[in-house]
Amino acid sequence: MTSRTRPGDAHPYLRAASAGVRHHTRALAPSEANPPRSADRLHLDVLHAHLTSLLQLMDRLAENTRPAHPAAGRHLATAHTRLWQATSEVHSAFHLLPSDIAVEAESSACHPEQLPEGPPVLTICQRHLAAGHIIRRKTTPTDLRAHTTACVR
């Protein structure tokens, strides 16, 4: 089976995003000139934004694939759920890291009943809340429970 588009022409923005993630991963690799660094809130905020964008893409792919290829669509839907779990863990880690600003440290916990004081807490919590509404409309609590799946080929 051959592709209708040449690999060099297919999905340039997605390839650029992947290249950016690979570059950042290499930049974080410890070396003599670059000692290992812990994650900070800025990294996790940007990573959370990337993951929520991937969630939207995976959701669309699962919905578009399911009618023509139900088994593949189910696998993509499962990947979508696992991606949500990763996104949720990144959000939780964000709130466990210390803040650079003393005032923000007091209000950095995620409280759904009230809005955080400002960026980046406001941004990540709003983004996470919006993604959570979409996930909860399309999955059940049982689907969100972590479990392993075997690859069937």
Side-chain angles (χ1 to χ4, degrees):
M1 184 172 182
T2 59
S3 174
R4 286 183 283 183
T5 15
R6 294 189 329 254
D9 296 336
H11 315 293
Y13 295 111
L14 189 56
R15 286 187 294 109
S18 296
V21 169
R22 283 192 306 272
H23 172 76
H24 192 71
T25 301
R26 284 191 300 270
L28 287 175
S31 66
E32 289 181 24
N34 186 23
R37 291 186 308 171
S38 174
D40 60 20
R41 285 181 148 211
L42 179 61
H43 277 109
L44 295 186
D45 183 40
V46 173
L47 181 59
H48 188 271
H50 188 75
L51 289 171
T52 54
S53 293
L54 282 174
L55 270 171
Q56 292 172 352
L57 175 61
M58 190 66 70
D59 184 41
R60 184 75 41 92
L61 286 172
E63 281 188 16
N64 294 348
T65 303
R66 189 174 287 138
H69 307 284
R74 282 192 302 273
H75 280 283
L76 290 173
T78 299
H80 179 255
T81 301
R82 300 298 172 261
L83 190 55
W84 164 251
Q85 291 168 333
T87 304
S88 188
E89 293 300 327
V90 168
H91 178 250
S92 296
F94 175 90
H95 287 293
L96 293 174
L97 288 176
S99 171
D100 293 336
I101 304 168
V103 175
E104 187 183 326
E106 298 171 5
S107 64
S108 65
C110 187
H111 299 286
E113 70 279 359
Q114 65 185 30
L115 289 175
E117 294 299 316
V121 178
L122 177 64
T123 308
I124 193 171
C125 290
Q126 285 180 331
R127 186 184 323 118
H128 196 70
L129 187 61
H133 284 299
I134 293 168
I135 282 290
R136 286 179 183 88
R137 280 188 296 160
K138 296 181 179 221
T139 58
T140 66
T142 303
D143 292 335
L144 295 175
R145 189 180 63 221
H147 66 280
T148 59
T149 58
C151 181
V152 180
R153 292 188 183 196

